[in-house]
Amino acid sequence: MNCYDVIVIGGGLLGCFAARNLMRYKLKTALLERREDLCTGISRANTAIVYSGYDMKPGTLKAKMCVKAAQEFGTLCAELGVRYSPCGSIMVCFGPRGAQTLRQKYEQGLESGVRGIKLLSPQEVLQLEPNISPQVVLGLYTPDTGTVIPWELGIAAAENALQNGADILLNTEVRDIVPLENGFQINCGSQTFETRGIINCAGLFAAEILEKVSSPKVRIYPSGGDYLILDTKAGGHISHVIFHEPEHKDKGLTLVPTVDGNILIGPSEVPVEEKNFFATTGEGLTALRSLVSEVIPSLPLEHLIRSFGAVRPNPFWVHQDPLSGRYVPEDKGISSFTILESTPRPFLSLIGIKTPGLTCANELGSYVAEKMAALLGNIPSNPDFNPQRPAPLRLNDLSWAERAKIIKRNPLYGQIVCRCRKISEGEIIDSIRRQPGAVTVDGVKRRTGSGTGRCQGSFCTQKIIEILAREHGCSPAEIHKDNKGSYLICKEGGSQC
């Protein structure tokens, strides 16, 4: 029997930061993730923005967390060795309704303490972003908006939790939770755990986890979104995150200058029925192109290198219909952060955490860790907690002289595998050998950036498969692209593709 003080269920951004912050206390902690890697759900596909906080209702937990997190995000990323671009943002509009909304957001931002927020005239907008349509009516600027790579952030938090003594158990799906006198028994097939407390960070499936121990309270009804990625050739076209407030009550456009120098466009908003629906839709992609022509018509869409789909959680309070017995959602979704506490045993659930979940991941992790420590009996802090996580070696961040020294010590750092991002074989091996390390092609991508450039892996994928197979002592045909079943090579006879 594996016994812990606290078990975190779910290895997305929220779960990784919950585990990291639990290690600030003297708590034996484990994180359970059903997949083969971390950050493979909501965390793998989103807009990657650190929001400044003017969009939230002043005085709410969400607003307070967001403003604080944005102002401290550079420090957090420095601690974790994560790349961060504090590029600032400009929200733009092209008519009177949008202008009224921007002025309301400006007042909200002032009330919430957003630093440096100011309204911009059309001339000021065009001075900062000359490629915006000259039809712009008003702009709203904030310097504390930034952009980060979501999975790079989450994996860094998990590594730091591991360095501080947490256990991270992958391929460990929770099948049942049984309440005990002083905690819970968690059954995961071949493994069973006992824990005094549970923090539920299961993302799109958080409601299903909660319903293993209580009646339905909140359920998640997903929606989808489409994104476009432009090559670094288009990267200089914008220098800030651009938000577009439309004149009609539709979803506007967001453009992000990414950490790697690309431009991310999206998301659209489309209905989906499945929580694992990460496909794109023609409807959503067409809508994005149309909005681009309105907001920044000169954007060179001919440099498009990829599109991808995302799933977003939309939480609703539910009630039981007296006639059918089914649980049905209330008319309006939940916009605030939903942190449910189940009694009598310590069970905290983060359900349907929407934007700005990435921004507030560390704040939310700190919040639930502190609350769990109190519920378990005022657990003392851990004086040995070390918030610093050594950053992985990134040759692109080094001078030529520094690279030469490293290559002299290990020639594998001189063997370039991903030509687009200039990622070496040494860096790919590092991503596999780190803990928790990559076991799939996408796992390597999430840790190194390989396969995200102009050719989208057409040159480097075969070599990465060979390196993964060599490091894990298996056949290349056993290497997956991502989840189970996503084989890249057919075995002899075509039995597996």
Side-chain angles (χ1 to χ4, degrees):
M1 183 71 70
N2 302 292
C3 298
Y4 292 93
D5 294 315
V6 187
I7 285 180
V8 178
I9 300 175
L13 272 164
L14 297 180
C16 292
F17 274 100
R20 177 184 189 247
N21 280 285
L22 284 165
M23 300 317 298
R24 297 180 184 272
Y25 301 90
K26 291 187 175 181
L27 291 167
K28 186 179 180 184
T29 299
L31 183 153
L32 310 183
E33 166 54 45
R34 69 185 180 94
R35 287 282 302 271
E36 77 295 333
D37 202 356
L38 303 166
C39 298
T40 60
I42 300 169
S43 305
R44 81 174 186 186
N46 59 56
T47 318
I49 294 172
V50 176
Y51 291 88
S52 61
Y54 61 71
D55 265 326
M56 295 95 217
K57 184 178 179 181
T60 61
L61 177 65
K62 182 188 283 192
K64 292 175 182 177
M65 281 189 174
C66 189
V67 172
K68 181 176 184 292
Q71 294 177 3
E72 297 176 357
F73 215 86
T75 300
L76 174 66
C77 290
E79 282 183 349
L80 292 174
V82 171
R83 295 173 294 167
Y84 174 57
S85 173
C87 55
S89 67
I90 302 174
M91 178 172 278
V92 296
C93 66
F94 298 91
R97 179 191 172 277
Q100 182 181 4
T101 301
L102 263 61
R103 292 188 179 96
Q104 291 172 346
K105 291 179 185 294
Y106 171 69
E107 295 297 333
Q108 283 188 170
L110 289 177
E111 188 175 344
S112 294
V114 175
R115 294 188 304 198
I117 188 169
K118 62 180 179 179
L119 291 168
L120 302 177
S121 68
Q123 294 76 19
E124 290 172 317
V125 170
L126 294 171
Q127 283 178 352
L128 293 173
E129 291 290 350
N131 291 309
I132 295 289
S133 167
Q135 303 303 315
V136 62
V137 169
L138 190 66
L140 178 62
Y141 168 78
T142 56
D144 281 331
T145 306
T147 182
V148 70
I149 299 177
W151 51 82
E152 189 174 295
L153 180 67
I155 290 170
E159 286 188 9
N160 188 237
L162 194 67
Q163 291 158 2
N164 281 287
D167 290 337
I168 295 179
L169 304 170
L170 303 175
N171 297 303
T172 307
E173 183 173 3
V174 174
R175 298 184 180 178
D176 192 25
I177 301 175
V178 180
L180 304 174
E181 183 178 352
N182 295 309
F184 303 90
Q185 178 178 292
I186 301 177
N187 298 318
C188 301
S190 62
Q191 296 187 84
T192 303
F193 304 88
E194 283 191 4
T195 180
R196 296 169 62 200
I198 292 175
I199 298 179
N200 171 16
C201 299
L204 291 164
F205 302 94
E208 286 87 337
I209 293 295
L210 178 58
E211 289 176 27
K212 293 182 185 295
V213 298
S214 71
S215 60
K217 298 179 179 67
V218 175
R219 283 188 172 169
I220 294 171
Y221 298 85
S223 63
D226 302 288
Y227 289 88
L228 302 170
I229 299 178
L230 303 188
D231 186 35
T232 52
K233 284 184 175 180
H237 224 69
I238 58 172
S239 55
H240 301 78
V241 173
I242 305 297
F243 298 115
H244 162 231
E245 180 63 34
E247 279 303 286
H248 304 287
K249 289 188 176 181
D250 299 319
K251 190 167 183 65
L253 184 69
T254 301
L255 300 106
V256 182
T258 72
V259 169
D260 282 324
N262 301 86
I263 293 180
L264 177 66
I265 305 170
S268 63
E269 188 165 20
V270 294
V272 299
E273 295 183 0
E274 299 178 17
K275 292 181 179 179
N276 286 320
F277 186 85
F278 284 90
T280 55
T281 66
E283 172 192 355
L285 296 175
T286 299
L288 290 179
R289 289 176 178 272
S290 176
L291 286 171
V292 165
S293 67
E294 177 184 346
V295 178
I296 184 164
S298 63
L299 192 67
L301 291 178
E302 65 269 20
H303 293 313
L304 176 69
I305 59 173
R306 191 184 177 206
S307 61
F308 66 91
V311 180
R312 292 190 295 271
N314 296 306
F316 286 77
W317 297 108
V318 295
H319 64 272
Q320 192 170 23
D321 181 76
L323 296 177
S324 67
R326 295 179 179 178
Y327 284 89
V328 295
E330 301 290 346
D331 292 335
K332 191 175 181 180
I334 302 171
S335 60
S336 59
F337 283 158
T338 310
I339 305 170
L340 299 182
E341 180 180 346
S342 304
T343 56
R345 302 159 193 85
F347 193 116
L348 301 176
S349 293
L350 294 165
I351 296 189
I353 302 295
K354 298 173 66 176
T355 302
L358 181 153
T359 307
C360 299
N362 187 54
E363 298 298 320
L364 286 163
S366 177
Y367 181 91
V368 294
E370 182 179 359
K371 193 168 188 65
M372 181 58 72
L375 289 171
L376 293 175
N378 294 313
I379 303 297
S381 61
N382 175 13
D384 298 322
F385 176 77
N386 179 7
Q388 303 291 329
R389 171 257 193 182
L393 176 64
R394 300 186 187 97
L395 289 183
N396 287 327
D397 295 341
L398 304 179
S399 68
W400 289 108
E402 290 171 319
R403 296 185 205 190
K405 290 179 182 178
I406 290 169
I407 293 169
K408 187 174 182 180
R409 290 196 300 268
N410 184 348
L412 290 177
Y413 289 107
Q415 300 294 323
I416 299 300
V417 173
C418 174
R419 292 183 178 180
C420 299
R421 297 295 192 199
K422 298 180 174 61
I423 308 297
S424 69
E425 183 170 352
E427 291 166 277
I428 291 169
I429 292 171
D430 288 345
S431 76
I432 298 168
R433 293 181 180 178
R434 291 179 78 92
Q435 295 296 322
V439 296
T440 64
V441 171
D442 279 2
V444 172
K445 177 176 74 174
R446 283 189 282 271
R447 288 163 176 80
T448 66
S450 60
T452 64
R454 189 170 303 154
C455 82
Q456 289 292 293
S458 61
F459 175 80
C460 61
T461 297
Q462 178 61 40
K463 181 63 176 176
I464 291 171
I465 292 171
E466 293 171 3
I467 297 169
L468 279 163
R470 186 183 71 217
E471 288 293 312
H472 289 294
C474 64
S475 163
E478 297 176 75
I479 298 300
H480 294 82
K481 180 185 183 297
D482 187 24
N483 202 358
K484 292 179 180 178
S486 58
Y487 295 105
L488 291 158
I489 297 176
C490 288
K491 284 186 175 179
E492 188 175 355
S495 61
Q496 164 185 300
C497 292

